Short mmCIF file of all heavy atoms in Angstrom, two decimals:
data_model
loop_
_atom_site.label_atom_id
_atom_site.label_comp_id
_atom_site.label_asym_id
_atom_site.label_seq_id
_atom_site.Cartn_x
_atom_site.Cartn_y
_atom_site.Cartn_z
N MET L 1 -10.54 -23.15 4.96
CA MET L 1 -11.20 -23.72 6.17
C MET L 1 -12.19 -24.86 5.69
O MET L 1 -12.33 -25.80 6.39
CB MET L 1 -12.00 -22.69 6.92
CG MET L 1 -11.05 -21.75 7.66
SD MET L 1 -12.04 -20.49 8.66
CE MET L 1 -12.87 -21.54 9.74
N CYS L 21 -16.71 -51.53 13.89
CA CYS L 21 -16.29 -52.70 13.39
C CYS L 21 -15.19 -53.42 14.31
O CYS L 21 -14.97 -54.66 14.31
CB CYS L 21 -15.70 -52.70 12.05
SG CYS L 21 -16.85 -52.12 10.82
N VAL L 56 4.91 -3.22 12.41
CA VAL L 56 5.03 -3.00 11.03
C VAL L 56 6.03 -1.93 10.77
O VAL L 56 6.04 -0.90 11.27
CB VAL L 56 3.71 -2.60 10.33
CG1 VAL L 56 3.82 -2.32 8.93
CG2 VAL L 56 2.55 -3.62 10.60
N VAL L 74 5.34 -10.62 14.12
CA VAL L 74 4.31 -11.13 14.95
C VAL L 74 4.85 -11.84 16.12
O VAL L 74 5.70 -12.71 15.98
CB VAL L 74 3.23 -11.95 14.11
CG1 VAL L 74 2.28 -12.69 15.06
CG2 VAL L 74 2.60 -11.28 13.05
N GLU L 89 -4.01 -4.59 0.27
CA GLU L 89 -4.34 -3.93 -1.01
C GLU L 89 -3.34 -2.95 -1.37
O GLU L 89 -2.98 -2.06 -0.59
CB GLU L 89 -5.71 -3.36 -0.97
CG GLU L 89 -6.93 -4.25 -0.86
CD GLU L 89 -8.24 -3.56 -0.95
OE1 GLU L 89 -8.20 -2.33 -1.09
OE2 GLU L 89 -9.30 -4.23 -0.91
N ILE L 113 6.94 -8.08 2.96
CA ILE L 113 6.11 -7.84 1.71
C ILE L 113 6.99 -7.08 0.78
O ILE L 113 7.49 -6.02 1.03
CB ILE L 113 4.85 -7.14 2.13
CG1 ILE L 113 3.97 -7.83 3.17
CG2 ILE L 113 4.08 -6.76 0.90
CD1 ILE L 113 2.64 -7.12 3.55
N LEU L 174 12.40 44.33 -17.97
CA LEU L 174 12.40 45.64 -17.31
C LEU L 174 11.10 46.00 -16.69
O LEU L 174 10.04 45.71 -17.22
CB LEU L 174 12.82 46.76 -18.43
CG LEU L 174 14.22 46.49 -18.97
CD1 LEU L 174 14.39 47.59 -20.08
CD2 LEU L 174 15.27 46.59 -18.05
N THR L 182 19.40 54.68 -10.96
CA THR L 182 19.59 53.50 -11.85
C THR L 182 20.11 54.06 -13.23
O THR L 182 19.95 55.27 -13.52
CB THR L 182 18.29 52.80 -12.09
OG1 THR L 182 18.46 51.68 -13.06
CG2 THR L 182 17.23 53.71 -12.79
N LYS L 202 17.36 68.28 -22.32
CA LYS L 202 17.97 68.27 -23.70
C LYS L 202 17.10 67.61 -24.76
O LYS L 202 16.90 68.03 -25.85
CB LYS L 202 19.42 67.42 -23.66
CG LYS L 202 20.09 67.53 -24.93
CD LYS L 202 21.41 66.80 -24.82
CE LYS L 202 22.33 67.43 -23.90
NZ LYS L 202 23.67 66.73 -23.83
N ALA L 205 14.09 69.78 -25.44
CA ALA L 205 14.33 70.92 -26.40
C ALA L 205 14.36 70.41 -27.86
O ALA L 205 13.89 71.15 -28.71
CB ALA L 205 15.78 71.57 -26.04
N PHE L 245 16.75 16.23 -12.44
CA PHE L 245 18.09 16.73 -12.74
C PHE L 245 18.08 18.22 -13.18
O PHE L 245 18.88 19.04 -12.72
CB PHE L 245 18.73 15.98 -13.92
CG PHE L 245 20.03 16.33 -14.42
CD1 PHE L 245 21.17 15.80 -13.81
CD2 PHE L 245 20.27 17.34 -15.26
CE1 PHE L 245 22.49 16.11 -14.23
CE2 PHE L 245 21.52 17.79 -15.73
CZ PHE L 245 22.63 17.15 -15.21
N ARG L 281 8.82 18.51 -2.51
CA ARG L 281 7.38 18.51 -2.31
C ARG L 281 6.69 18.45 -3.73
O ARG L 281 5.65 17.76 -3.79
CB ARG L 281 7.00 19.87 -1.70
CG ARG L 281 5.55 20.07 -1.27
CD ARG L 281 5.19 21.32 -0.73
NE ARG L 281 5.93 21.64 0.48
CZ ARG L 281 6.90 22.54 0.70
NH1 ARG L 281 7.23 23.31 -0.38
NH2 ARG L 281 7.53 22.73 1.77
#
Side-chain angles (χ1 to χ4, degrees):
M1 289 182 62
C21 297
V56 179
V74 174
E89 289 187 357
I113 299 179
L174 297 176
T182 177
K202 184 180 294 187
F245 180 93
R281 186 182 300 113

